[in-house]
Amino acid sequence: MSTTEQRVAIVTGAARGIGAATAVRLAAEGRAVAVIDLDEDACKDTVEKITAAGGRALAVGCDVSDEAQVTSAVERIAAELGAPTILVNNAGVLRDNLLFKMSASDWDTVMNVHLRGAFLMSRASQKHMVDAGFGRIVNLSSSSALGNRGQVNYAAAKAGMQGFTKTLAKELGKFGITANSVAPGFIATEMTKATAERVGMGFEDFQAAAATQIPVQRVGQPEDIANAVAFFTGDAAGFVSGQVLYVAGGPLN
Ligand SMILES: NC(=O)c1ccc[n+]([C@@H]2O[C@H](COP(=O)([O-])OP(=O)(O)OC[C@H]3O[C@@H](n4cnc5c(N)ncnc54)[C@H](O)[C@@H]3O)[C@@H](O)[C@H]2O)c1
């Protein structure tokens, strides 16, 4: 491919939050962006933001944990936008509970969206990257990968994303494909808002309390994560692979 040809990026879970900010940021970097989320209509805001700024984007409804939906979504993206060579596995859910109260279904849901979803999306996309001799995969991990009370499912999935990333880096490097992981700390999104509700706190108070524990004394914004993803997906990051970058306003123990 010529260096002037527009690269096509897929961002999953991009109807809102970190995924939406990442889609907008990658479009600003000149990528055509496939905006995947569960409900195609919910992707339209993100797509409109991109097209209003002069970019190219496509809304795609797809449950990333469903094999058939992933296959047809990636085929549709390749046909309508172009062969995807950048993939951001961002779709995520929480099903928090203490171990003794956690249902098997809450365990499975979290594993399926994060790990099975990233696996299916990566497998479906890699052939386009191999053909192009270029690829960038970024997987969203979390500071919870280090362990977090009430999140035995999520912590396991997010630690799993790191092993998944390092293995992709080893398998796919010879095809010009890098794989890296971004592990956010506290980011102000619907996800953390839902956590505030679950623990019975107002979102503003919840963020203020979190900020006191963060060295830079503020919570993160979706754009903080989008900036890190933009670096890993850039042409200049071709010698950076298999890494986990904690983006958390400070070091984590
Ligand atoms: N917000 C944080 O503090 C934080 C911290 C660490 C990691 N993360 C991770 O960052 C990613 C984005 O989080 P966010 O805070 O923007 O969350 P969010 O809840 O605001 O957005 C997640 C998006 O993923 C979509 N999604 C869920 N299941 C899906 C599926 N099966 N198929 C397709 N789309 C699906 C949702 O519909 C939603 O639009 C997640 O992987 C999350 O685990 C977030």
Side-chain angles (χ1 to χ4, degrees), residues 12-20 36-39 42 62-66 89-94 112-114 140-144 154 158 161 182-192 222 225:
T12 70
R16 68 185 198 196
I18 293 169
I36 287 187
D37 213 291
L38 284 170
D39 173 12
C62 169
D63 176 348
V64 296
S65 67
D66 183 300
N89 286 308
N90 167 81
V93 288
L94 294 181
N112 285 341
V113 176
H114 297 268
L140 268 289
S141 178
S142 168
S143 53
S144 296
Y154 186 77
K158 290 308 201 184
M161 291 296 258
V182 174
F186 187 118
I187 310 298
T189 68
E190 292 299 320
M191 185 176 272
T192 37
I225 304 307

Side-chain angles (χ1 to χ4, degrees), residues 1 17 44 58 63 77-78 89-90 185 202:
M1 141 174 171
K44 291 204 168 129
L58 177 70
D63 176 348
I77 291 161
N89 286 308
N90 167 81

Side-chain angles (χ1 to χ4, degrees), residues 90-110:
N90 167 81
V93 288
L94 294 181
R95 292 290 184 273
D96 294 355
N97 225 327
L98 293 174
L99 174 65
F100 77 103
K101 290 193 282 189
M102 186 173 289
S103 68
S105 135
D106 283 348
W107 173 270
D108 290 344
T109 298
V110 169

Side-chain angles (χ1 to χ4, degrees), residues 32-232:
V33 184
V35 176
I36 287 187
D37 213 291
L38 284 170
D39 173 12
E40 184 167 322
D41 275 351
C43 298
K44 291 204 168 129
D45 280 356
T46 309
V47 167
E48 273 164 23
K49 261 190 207 152
I50 292 171
T51 50
R56 282 174 74 217
L58 177 70
V60 181
C62 169
D63 176 348
V64 296
S65 67
D66 183 300
E67 188 172 16
Q69 288 187 38
V70 166
T71 304
S72 61
V74 174
E75 278 171 7
R76 183 179 159 209
I77 291 161
E80 294 186 30
L81 217 50
T85 56
I86 297 170
L87 170 65
V88 184
N89 286 308
N90 167 81
V93 288
L94 294 181
R95 292 290 184 273
D96 294 355
N97 225 327
L98 293 174
L99 174 65
F100 77 103
K101 290 193 282 189
M102 186 173 289
S103 68
S105 135
D106 283 348
W107 173 270
D108 290 344
T109 298
V110 169
M111 291 302 145
N112 285 341
V113 176
H114 297 268
L115 286 176
R116 184 179 158 88
F119 156 65
L120 292 173
M121 287 299 309
S122 301
R123 193 183 60 177
S125 303
Q126 57 79 32
K127 56 178 174 290
H128 297 290
M129 302 183 191
V130 170
D131 288 348
F134 173 92
R136 298 280 184 266
I137 299 173
V138 178
N139 299 311
L140 268 289
S141 178
S142 168
S143 53
S144 296
L146 301 169
N148 199 22
R149 187 179 158 80
Q151 292 196 318
V152 72
N153 50 0
Y154 186 77
K158 290 308 201 184
M161 291 296 258
Q162 298 188 10
F164 177 70
T165 299
K166 290 175 191 193
T167 304
L168 290 184
K170 290 189 176 188
E171 286 191 18
L172 301 175
K174 64 181 170 201
F175 303 108
I177 302 168
T178 66
N180 291 285
S181 184
V182 174
F186 187 118
I187 310 298
T189 68
E190 292 299 320
M191 185 176 272
T192 37
K193 194 173 176 190
T195 303
E197 278 163 22
R198 189 174 59 78
V199 301
M201 278 177 84
F203 194 34
E204 291 304 320
D205 290 345
F206 192 59
Q207 291 181 73
T212 65
Q213 304 304 309
I214 299 171
V216 301
Q217 297 287 290
R218 68 168 177 89
V219 300
Q221 297 301 321
E223 292 72 19
D224 290 313
I225 304 307
N227 289 336
V229 176
F231 166 69
F232 281 129

